[in-house]
Amino acid sequence: MLSTEDDVLEAALRWRREGRAVALATVLETWGSAPRPVGSHLVIDAEGNFLGSVSGGCVEGEVVSEAADVIASGTPRILEFGVADETAWRVGLSCGGAIRVYVERVD
Amino acid sequence: MRLDLLSRLMAERAARRPAILVTQLATGAQRLVTPETLAADPLSADLRKALRTGKSGAVGEDADRAFLTVEVPPPRLAVIGAVHISQALAPLARVAGYDMVIIDPRTAFATAERFPDVRVIAEWPDQALPEVGLDPFTALIALTHDPKIDEPALEAGLNAGCFYVGALGSRRTHAKRLERLSARGLGSAALDRIHAPIGLDIGAVSPGEIAVAILAEVIGALRKDGPAMVRPEAAA
């Protein structure tokens, strides 16, 4: 079943209260035909479990791996993905769009 | 993200109160803004706009760049009268994303057969509305033509700060209605908020057309003006 953005935030709250280490990713900006709108969320725990979507599947793997670093360091970071960045990033958006994603630890 | 702010954001949402989590992207600093703290916030103009549209997004430039995570209650329609127009309004409201509840004490009208998939409460507004819980993100739409049913509901809608309050009836009917509501103690500022004759003036004739006119007016009230709490004059 598809989860709404509110479901994802509720999950972030619930997972954290259960004592799990949690990061939250949020789509800050989009350009072109980005698959998920601004404000879309992905919640990730330290084991790599996740709920929600920031790109419909294109870059979730990369966001989940970055989230592990953010959980470890506690420092938020901004990730950029797009076709123009293919040389700089290991993954891109096949749709031709570009997105900027904020990843933060839930403290 | 601070767990306490996330927790408060979800609590506000559960209570059907709007709130915005502001994240300063340069520093990661966060704060929760509610209608009570909106006026004093440096981003108040952007925040008001966000509460009208209900959309999350980034605002500001460079070091002041901030992301707004916006939580706005889903808009609802409280319709007084299980009438023809309400039957036409129900599928339109669903398509537009507005939850709808119908209240009519006349049990012959308020039946599940006439309103499949809609919550129907066959009680007087005085009994039903406290249970429904009118609030600034609810529109109150009075369609029975019966003052005994419509007017207590209109009064409740005005007192609850509903973002839209509308009543069916001609200008003459409405003039008499205003006299009665005034006698009940409602002031002219409140009474001016009633949309009557109800609906955008598009010459609607059939129940279906009138339903379209009403819903269009409701959408305009929500998206252009917003609930009173998010309008600039609310700051004064």
Side-chain angles (χ1 to χ4, degrees):
Chain A
M1 200 178 109
L2 286 173
S3 48
T4 67
E5 299 318 321
D6 290 336
D7 293 337
V8 178
L9 291 179
E10 292 282 8
L13 184 60
R14 193 172 62 247
W15 291 7
R16 187 72 194 97
R17 282 180 174 161
E18 289 169 0
R20 294 153 78 173
V22 174
L24 183 70
T26 303
V27 177
L28 292 181
E29 291 171 283
T30 69
W31 297 266
S33 58
R36 299 281 296 141
V38 169
S40 299
H41 295 297
L42 178 71
V43 59
I44 308 107
D45 75 5
E47 277 72 54
N49 298 303
F50 64 90
L51 181 74
S53 170
V54 290
S55 76
C58 309
V59 301
E60 267 70 9
E62 184 71 13
V63 175
V64 168
S65 98
E66 292 281 340
D69 293 345
V70 170
I71 287 173
S73 72
T75 309
R77 61 177 73 166
I78 294 174
L79 312 177
E80 294 185 35
F81 301 99
V83 283
D85 301 314
E86 265 175 339
T87 52
W89 296 90
R90 294 200 301 278
V91 290
L93 295 175
S94 53
C95 52
I99 60 173
R100 187 173 287 161
V101 178
Y102 187 73
V103 185
E104 62 190 316
R105 187 169 73 183
V106 180
D107 287 316
Chain B
M1 177 175 286
R2 282 167 48 190
L3 187 64
D4 62 324
L5 295 184
L6 178 60
S7 173
R8 278 180 58 205
L9 183 68
M10 293 294 98
E12 293 300 297
R13 170 182 169 243
R16 281 186 60 82
R17 289 191 299 260
I20 299 179
L21 183 74
V22 181
T23 303
Q24 298 293 148
L25 293 176
T27 62
Q30 291 178 320
R31 63 184 183 273
L32 192 75
V33 181
T34 62
E36 292 72 31
T37 59
L38 183 58
D41 196 278
L43 292 174
S44 62
D46 289 316
L47 296 173
R48 283 201 170 87
K49 186 175 175 213
L51 288 176
R52 281 199 300 278
T53 63
K55 291 219 175 293
S56 297
V59 298
E61 299 299 329
D62 302 326
D64 292 328
R65 194 93 172 133
F67 189 80
L68 311 180
T69 300
V70 181
E71 283 286 346
V72 168
R76 299 186 302 178
L77 309 181
V79 177
I80 311 304
V83 298
H84 254 137
I85 295 170
S86 318
Q87 286 179 295
L89 188 56
L92 296 177
R94 191 176 313 124
V95 168
Y98 289 69
D99 289 334
M100 181 164 157
V101 56
I102 297 173
I103 296 156
D104 195 326
R106 302 168 299 180
T107 49
F109 287 78
T111 65
E113 291 73 39
R114 300 182 70 225
F115 294 93
D117 311 320
V118 182
R119 183 178 172 205
V120 179
I121 305 176
E123 288 175 21
W124 288 86
D126 281 346
Q127 297 163 305
L129 288 177
E131 179 193 338
V132 168
L134 296 180
D135 61 34
F137 288 84
T138 303
L140 189 288
I141 298 166
L143 301 176
T144 70
H145 267 309
D146 183 338
K148 289 196 306 297
I149 306 173
D150 281 349
E151 287 171 16
L154 291 170
E155 186 175 1
L158 293 171
N159 288 337
C162 288
F163 73 88
Y164 177 93
V165 178
L168 190 69
S170 67
R171 286 178 204 289
R172 255 190 76 204
T173 303
H174 187 57
K176 290 181 183 167
R177 176 189 293 136
L178 290 180
E179 285 174 21
R180 287 189 299 268
L181 288 172
S182 183
R184 289 173 77 110
L186 285 162
S188 60
L191 295 178
D192 285 347
R193 293 190 46 229
I194 302 176
H195 293 265
I198 198 169
L200 288 188
D201 185 6
I202 54 173
V205 175
S206 68
E209 290 177 349
I210 295 168
V212 169
I214 292 171
L215 187 59
E217 193 170 53
V218 166
I219 293 168
L222 180 66
R223 299 304 183 196
K224 288 172 70 182
D225 303 330
M229 64 172 74
V230 309
R231 289 179 217 149
E233 61 265 34

